Amino acid sequence: MFAKAFRVKSNTAIKGSDRRKLRNDVAATFPTLTSEQLSEIVPNKEELNIIKLYAHKGDALTVYANGRIPVLFEMEKRLYPTDLMLPGVVVPSYGLPQVDRGTLCAITLVGNSAPVAIGIATMSTAEMVAAGMKGKGFTVLHTYMDHLWEFGDKSCPPTIVPLEAESSEMMDAEEEEQEAGEGEGKSQENSHPVDPCLQTGIRNLNMEDAIQSVDMTEKEEPNENGAAETTEEDNLDDPQEVEDSRSPQEQMDALLHQCFFHALKCKVKKSELPLLTSTFLRNYMFACCPQGQQLDIKKSSYKKFSKFLQSMQQQNILQVKELNKGVESIVNVDWRHESIRSFVVPIEIAASELSVQDSRSGDGEQPYHCPEITPLYGVSSKMAPLFQESGYKKGDTLSSSEVRSAVINYVKLNELVDETNKNFIKVDPILCDCLLDKSEQDEISKLTWDNLLSRCLDKLQPFHQVTFFGHDPIVRKGNNDPIDINIAQRSCNKKVTIIKNLELYGLDPQAVANFLQLKVQASATVTTLPGAKDRAQVQVQGNQIHHLAKLLVEDYQIPRKYIKGLEMAPKMGRKK
């Protein structure tokens, strides 16, 4: 479903009543979830957004995102998913768990219980076994590394070791039952039993240990023994792991402090305050977590992020306030505090960040380059006699320097420089017809060099050349249109920001709308520009010119002369 890019229709904050309804729906769908797990999926106070989107085939969906991370999605129309065939499923030693047709299942890989996909069973367990594990087993809805995953923080699935102990106990129980002399049919019926608690959890989050990928197995099995031996050798040779005698809780506390001070010292800017605590955690602290490690506050001594921030506030490192009911924000940071000043980013993390920055343009998408825009001038039939002696004809486009050279060449060839004052040029019949109006033809006999050149440029047809990075130049007729930003008034005295002509500068209107939607947490839509079928305009709630100026001028490096409307930005201190 998310194998191709989707289109976001709206992104709004969830209401209190909708949040309660969502909690009830999740609790009813997954009855084995504890209250803590339910609060982690649908938090009581943290920001939670409802994102309406359309999949690449037009299917309407609702995504619930905690911050920017998608947590749940709800299907509203017919689906077009890909399929997982049963030959690609590895049956564990203790058998398949009991599922019914239409059961929602989680799909995992061999050796890791963390789900990498979500699908719906197309047949029951008994039907799978009866079919000899052949045919279509599951319709896949969402997978790791699809576009819904890219919409979030792009984190990797955690490594969760399968419950091997329970598996071996179940195998022993089966062997005892077989030795007790039970019939063959009964033995087959009991080839799938699992612990009741485990089975209930699998029915609702479903198939966490059973559904595995054969392709991944074929790649991993030949190296399984070698990988194990290498890991043991690395553990013996790594003095840091041997010397680290701290408990897991102490190690998590150290990682939490490291990410916290790293984010404050290198990531957060004063202009971004006040900053939601949930945004600070997800967008800043998680980004500072070293590669290969996972920041889990529940495994620290603080248990909750709010308690950790209270501890930091008691040390006068920062100040946290509840600006809105139930929503806490960081309002002030003391960057002169000794703890922040003395913090040093670990060398391996600093080196990895530099390598990511250096390779970002090569490995990922190409960075945006503002196009080079050059004004050109077209030779019309009326102006053709003036440029004919320089080898130009009607329809040719010239740069300003080529126009200047052609005019100077014409003046010298026809000896039109005034002998008494070389700053003036005598007007001959061709110059008279090309540059002077009818009312001026009897009055003006001489022109200055500057007046001659400016009149010539004004009489030529306007063109402009646009050169995008890595592409051939494009010549367009007329003057170059700037990016047009306007503030419009809507009903109830509401303002909206309208942006036009983004395509002329190689910018995707939908990408700009998505950025503003996430940046300002306001509705953003893309509509067809009236009177232009191939052009679109972006409309965002509120006066968002400050954010637009930062995006276009600072991030995209577009010169201000190509942007119209930046002067309408709201003054600091006033409400947008």
Side-chain angles (χ1 to χ4, degrees), residues 181-435:
E182 294 185 356
E184 184 177 353
K186 189 173 181 180
S187 176
Q188 290 180 353
E189 291 177 0
N190 292 332
S191 62
H192 313 297
V194 292
D195 183 79
C197 298
L198 178 61
Q199 185 171 356
T200 305
I202 292 176
R203 277 182 173 273
N204 298 300
L205 294 172
N206 289 303
M207 305 289 284
E208 291 190 15
D209 296 310
I211 307 169
Q212 328 241 345
S213 169
V214 165
D215 294 336
M216 292 298 296
T217 309
E218 294 175 353
K219 295 179 181 178
E220 292 180 7
E221 282 182 351
N223 298 328
E224 199 169 19
N225 297 332
E229 292 173 3
T230 305
T231 305
E232 291 176 1
E233 292 177 0
D234 291 343
N235 290 341
L236 292 174
D237 295 338
D238 192 350
Q240 292 182 351
E241 295 188 6
V242 175
E243 294 175 2
D244 194 353
S245 59
R246 296 176 298 177
S247 65
Q249 188 179 79
E250 293 173 342
Q251 294 179 22
M252 188 56 65
D253 285 348
L255 180 61
L256 181 61
H257 283 85
Q258 175 183 313
C259 297
F260 173 76
F261 289 114
H262 185 182
L264 287 183
K265 189 167 186 176
C266 304
K267 305 292 183 181
V268 179
K269 298 178 181 179
K270 188 175 182 180
S271 59
E272 296 174 327
L273 300 180
L275 181 66
L276 290 175
T277 56
S278 56
T279 303
F280 173 67
L281 175 63
R282 286 178 174 81
N283 296 353
Y284 294 90
M285 287 186 61
F286 284 167
C288 296
C289 188
Q291 189 174 4
Q293 299 187 44
Q294 186 174 5
L295 183 61
D296 190 347
I297 298 177
K298 290 186 177 181
K299 294 182 180 179
S300 68
S301 60
Y302 299 95
K303 304 300 181 184
K304 292 184 178 180
F305 188 52
S306 57
K307 291 184 178 179
F308 172 75
L309 290 179
Q310 288 177 4
S311 175
M312 297 298 103
Q313 186 171 239
Q314 291 173 359
Q315 300 178 37
N316 297 323
I317 297 175
L318 49 71
Q319 186 178 5
V320 178
K321 283 187 177 180
E322 191 174 311
L323 299 181
N324 296 321
K325 187 176 180 180
V327 180
E328 292 185 337
S329 300
I330 300 174
V331 297
N332 187 36
V333 177
D334 183 10
W335 276 281
R336 295 184 179 181
H337 196 280
E338 183 62 26
S339 299
I340 299 178
R341 295 177 62 184
S342 60
F343 176 77
V344 178
V345 180
I347 297 177
E348 61 274 10
I349 298 179
S352 63
E353 288 182 351
L354 288 175
S355 63
V356 169
Q357 292 176 0
D358 294 339
S359 62
R360 185 171 294 169
S361 60
D363 298 338
E365 297 180 357
Q366 289 291 337
Y368 174 80
H369 293 271
C370 179
E372 296 182 6
I373 301 176
T374 307
L376 298 178
Y377 303 90
V379 179
S380 61
S381 57
K382 182 179 179 181
M383 297 290 291
L386 180 58
F387 293 89
Q388 188 174 1
E389 295 181 0
S390 297
Y392 300 113
K393 61 184 183 298
K394 175 187 174 182
D396 290 344
T397 54
L398 313 175
S399 64
S400 58
S401 59
E402 290 174 333
V403 172
R404 180 183 178 88
S405 299
V407 172
I408 293 175
N409 184 49
Y410 177 84
V411 171
K412 288 183 177 180
L413 289 177
N414 293 276
E415 299 179 352
L416 298 179
V417 179
D418 188 18
E419 295 85 357
T420 59
N421 190 346
K422 294 185 178 181
N423 291 328
F424 286 89
I425 307 300
K426 293 182 289 185
V427 177
D428 67 349
I430 292 180
L431 290 178
C432 181
D433 292 340
C434 292
L435 304 181

Side-chain angles (χ1 to χ4, degrees), residues 116-130:
V116 295
I118 298 172
I120 296 177
T122 59
M123 60 179 74
S124 64
T125 303
E127 291 173 333
M128 294 181 190
V129 176

Side-chain angles (χ1 to χ4, degrees), residues 20-30 74:
R20 289 190 295 271
K21 183 179 181 299
L22 178 61
R23 286 178 62 89
N24 295 334
D25 292 342
V26 173
T29 306
F30 306 108
E74 182 180 6

